[in-house]
């Protein structure tokens, strides 16, 4: 058996660049990071961008991920005495941007933290020490002298509820943190190579911003009230300078399309309670795999109840994250509006949020059932700190809901192909295989037949994976998995097992004999052969990903046996 490739140490570097007058970008380059959460695979690493602006006073916009603690502070103290920093502008409090805020305030306690009301509240729970603060609202300004005057734009849900943008009138630079960013690590500070970065720019939008399309449009409208924006200093990836108009235009176009989608699912929750934000995001990611538009509404923010009624009434499905029993009257009013606007034949899903004081789940679910809604996935109950398996369960629940609300569309698509072409295409045959994968504690499997060798040097093959498959999120570039080859005449039991519909979070391997491959993925003991593989690239093929993988180990249990063959009669469905 071929040994695993030696593990390469993860590369972390820092880049400092003068991007505008009196303005320095401090970019923490995470070259080898391959994933944000279990569901968000990265092909090209990422960066965490921080900015130092010097006027008569000095402001720092955001910090970095805690993994850069030593590198970041060595760099920052090489640029400035920390006691000379007057303001820390916190765009939002997600750990990859605020991971070093506590350290900074311990080293320089006189800094005034500037952020939204929600951000300051989050930081109080993060820092656990008194600190100077300045809460800003939309249109508020902060003048640090020498022409550097920041104007703040409130941009909730992009993609956290506490987000603000900061516009420096002197340099016409807009600091946006997550919005307009992308997970792409390179030495290029700016976006001069649009062709190279645009796939990651779109993927980032789809994963993080698409479910908040209405919030994107609201932020774009507020941005339109600013003077010309010459540069967008993002929190991830290259800064936008060469293609500002083009890329903000794409955000507008994509978000307008999303909000006008024929099939929409609404997710309603209170972001600052429990683990609701990431739980909701995981469900949204699962729904998005099915091509269904998602609209996320944070009931803890100011919600227009009439707009909420209109949204709920046009949703094909509704997902509700339980708020605390002690929630504010405005939250209770919003939840009552969701309940009062729901209608028969809509799909419903409910999840606990793990804050320790959730509303009882069963009475709320019963109310939706009594209105004629269909419970598409079992209620998700959070009794302990969510694990990666919990978030995977949420993603699979979202996919089930997305498939349910598009079932009529799927049937119509099956009937749309001409009979002769359908039958001819169905004569393309393939082998029978089981794909197995494991990432951390999360594992999954899939029956496959669209598999073909694609290269000799390197040894590689391609496999088509439907976008709504649970295993898809474990087959990102760099992920490792096992291709199990089924045996002709001895495949029925395994095929039957892996063809059945699994409930969200169910163990795909219960009752199946397995052993662990060197890469950690399960090998099916009853398979004819197995091959250990690593995903090298993926190509978007509409409703499938064409996944090209290289091969580095394998074994055949019965050299004289043949691979099972799958013959179809139609070409427009499995």
């Amino acid at each position: 058996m071929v040994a695993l490739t030696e593990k390469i140490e993860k590369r972390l570097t820092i880049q400092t660049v003068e991007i505008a007058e009196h303005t320095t970008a401090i970019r923490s380059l995470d070259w080898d990071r391959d994933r944000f959460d279990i569901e968000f695979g990265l092909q090209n690493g990422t960066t965490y961008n921080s900015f130092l602006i010097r006027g008569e006073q000095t402001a720092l916009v955001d910090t970095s991920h805690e993994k850069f603690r030593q590198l970041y502070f060595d760099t920052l103290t090489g640029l400035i005495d920390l006691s000379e920093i007057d303001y820390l502008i916190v765009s939002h409090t997600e750990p990859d941007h605020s991971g070093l805020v506590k350290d900074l305030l311990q080293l320089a306690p006189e800094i005034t933290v500037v952020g939204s009301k929600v951000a300051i509240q989050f930081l109080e729970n993060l820092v656990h020490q008194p600190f100077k603060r300045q809460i800003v609202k939309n249109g508020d300004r902060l003048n640090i002298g020498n022409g550097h005057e920041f104007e703040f734009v409130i941009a909730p849900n992009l993609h956290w509820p506490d987000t603000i943008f900061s516009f420096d009138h002197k340099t016409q630079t807009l600091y946006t943190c997550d919005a307009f960013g992308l997970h792409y690590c390179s030495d290029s500070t700016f976006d001069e190579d649009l062709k190279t970065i645009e796939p990651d720019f779109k993927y980032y939008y789809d994963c993080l911003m698409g479910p908040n399309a209405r919030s994107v449009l609201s932020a774009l409208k507020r941005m339109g009230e600013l003077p010309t924006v010459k540069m967008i200093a993002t929190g991830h990836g290259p800064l936008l300078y060469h293609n500002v108009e083009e890329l903000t235009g794409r955000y507008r176009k994509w978000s307008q399309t999303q909000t006008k989608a024929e099939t929409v699912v609404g997710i309603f929750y209170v972001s600052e309670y429990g683990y609701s934000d990431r739980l909701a995001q995981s469900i949204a990611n699962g729904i998005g795999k099915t091509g269904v538009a998602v609209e996320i509404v944070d009931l803890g923010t100011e919600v227009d109840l009439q707009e909420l009624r209109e949204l709920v009434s046009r949703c094909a499905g509704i997902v509700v994250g339980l708020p605390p029993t002690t929630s504010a009257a405005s939250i209770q009013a919003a939840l009552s509006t969701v309940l009062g606007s729901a209608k028969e034949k809509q799909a419903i899903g409910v999840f606990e949020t793990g804050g320790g004081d959730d509303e009882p789940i069963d009475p709320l679910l019963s109310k939706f059932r009594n209105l004629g809604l269909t419970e598409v996935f079992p209620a998700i109950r959070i009794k302990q700190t969510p694990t990666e398996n919990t978030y995977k369960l949420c993603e699979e629940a979202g996919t089930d809901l997305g498939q349910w609300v598009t079932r009529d569309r799927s049937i119509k698509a099956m009937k749309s192909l001409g009979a002769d072409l359908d039958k001819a295409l169905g004569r393309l045959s393939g082998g029978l295989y089981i794909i197995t994968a494991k990432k951390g504690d999360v594992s999954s499997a899939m029956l496959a037949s669209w598999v073909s060798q694609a290269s000799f040097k390197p040894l590689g093959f391609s496999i088509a994976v439907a976008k709504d498959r649970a295993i898809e999120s474990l087959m990102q570039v760099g992920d490792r998995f096992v291709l199990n080859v089924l045996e002709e005449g001895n495949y029925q039991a395994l095929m039957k097992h892996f063809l059945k519909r699994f409930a969200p979070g169910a163990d795909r391997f219960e009752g199946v004999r397995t052993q662990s491959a060197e890469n950690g993925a399960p090998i099916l003991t009853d398979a004819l052969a197995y091959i250990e593989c690593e995903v090298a690239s993926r190509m978007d093929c509409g409703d499938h990903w064409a996944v090209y993988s290289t091969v580095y180990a394998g074994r055949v249990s019965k050299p004289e046996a043949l691979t099972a063959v799958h013959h179809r009669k139609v070409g427009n469905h499995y």
Side-chain angles (χ1 to χ4, degrees), residues 80 417 487-488 572:
I80 191 171
L417 193 63
E487 178 187 353
E488 183 64 38
N572 63 0

Side-chain angles (χ1 to χ4, degrees), residues 138-368:
N138 195 65
D140 285 355
R141 296 193 178 209
L142 173 65
N143 193 335
I144 63 171
N146 292 338
H148 292 284
E149 184 176 25
F150 292 99
E151 182 175 347
F152 299 103
V153 175
I154 300 298
N157 304 320
L158 300 182
H159 70 113
W160 272 33
D162 58 349
T163 302
I164 59 171
F165 298 167
S166 308
F167 180 70
D168 184 350
H169 280 263
K170 183 179 181 70
T171 61
Q172 295 177 273
T173 300
L174 183 67
Y175 300 90
T176 60
C177 202
D178 282 343
F180 308 106
L182 63 152
H183 289 307
Y184 189 90
C185 185
S186 77
D187 288 319
S188 296
T189 305
F190 297 104
D191 59 333
E192 57 265 23
D193 191 351
L194 179 58
K195 186 175 181 180
T196 297
I197 67 172
E198 57 188 358
D200 292 281
F201 185 79
K202 180 62 164 66
Y203 182 56
Y204 183 97
Y205 173 88
D206 289 341
C207 289
L208 292 182
M209 300 297 155
N212 300 291
R214 289 188 181 275
S215 296
V216 171
L217 293 175
S218 295
L220 286 168
K221 183 178 180 181
R222 287 172 172 167
M223 284 169 56
E225 298 169 0
L226 298 171
T228 301
V229 176
K230 289 185 177 180
M231 183 193 308
I232 294 182
T234 60
H236 293 295
L239 316 186
L240 308 189
Y241 178 75
H242 302 282
N243 301 283
V244 171
E245 187 173 348
E246 169 66 25
L247 294 177
T248 55
R250 292 187 190 185
Y251 257 54
R252 178 174 283 104
K253 179 181 177 182
W254 295 334
S255 298
Q256 288 171 339
T257 300
Q258 185 89 343
T259 57
K260 295 176 182 177
E262 180 180 346
T263 306
V264 178
V265 170
I267 301 179
F268 308 93
Y269 72 109
V270 179
S271 65
E272 58 184 275
Y273 176 65
Y275 303 93
S276 57
D277 192 74
R278 189 175 166 195
L279 294 167
Q281 189 67 51
S282 298
I283 294 171
N285 288 341
I287 296 169
K289 283 186 171 187
T290 66
V292 172
V294 181
E295 293 209 23
I296 293 180
V297 179
D298 181 0
L299 301 181
T301 61
E302 293 182 14
V303 178
D304 184 304
L305 297 184
Q306 182 56 37
E307 291 182 0
L308 186 60
R309 289 187 193 95
E310 292 172 359
L311 172 59
V312 174
S313 66
R314 64 184 179 85
C315 283
I318 298 168
V319 180
V320 177
L322 294 180
T325 56
T326 55
S327 57
S330 59
I331 294 174
Q332 292 296 334
L335 182 59
S336 296
T337 299
V338 172
L339 185 62
S341 305
K343 56 188 180 182
E344 192 177 2
K345 297 183 179 180
Q346 287 176 317
I348 181 64
V350 180
F351 65 99
E352 291 181 337
T353 48
D357 186 34
D358 290 16
E359 286 274 3
I361 198 167
D362 294 310
L364 180 63
L365 193 52
S366 294
K367 291 178 182 178
F368 281 112

Side-chain angles (χ1 to χ4, degrees), residues 433-444:
Y433 312 89
I434 305 293
I435 309 297
T436 57
K438 186 174 183 180
K439 187 80 173 182
D441 293 330
V442 177
S443 59
S444 193

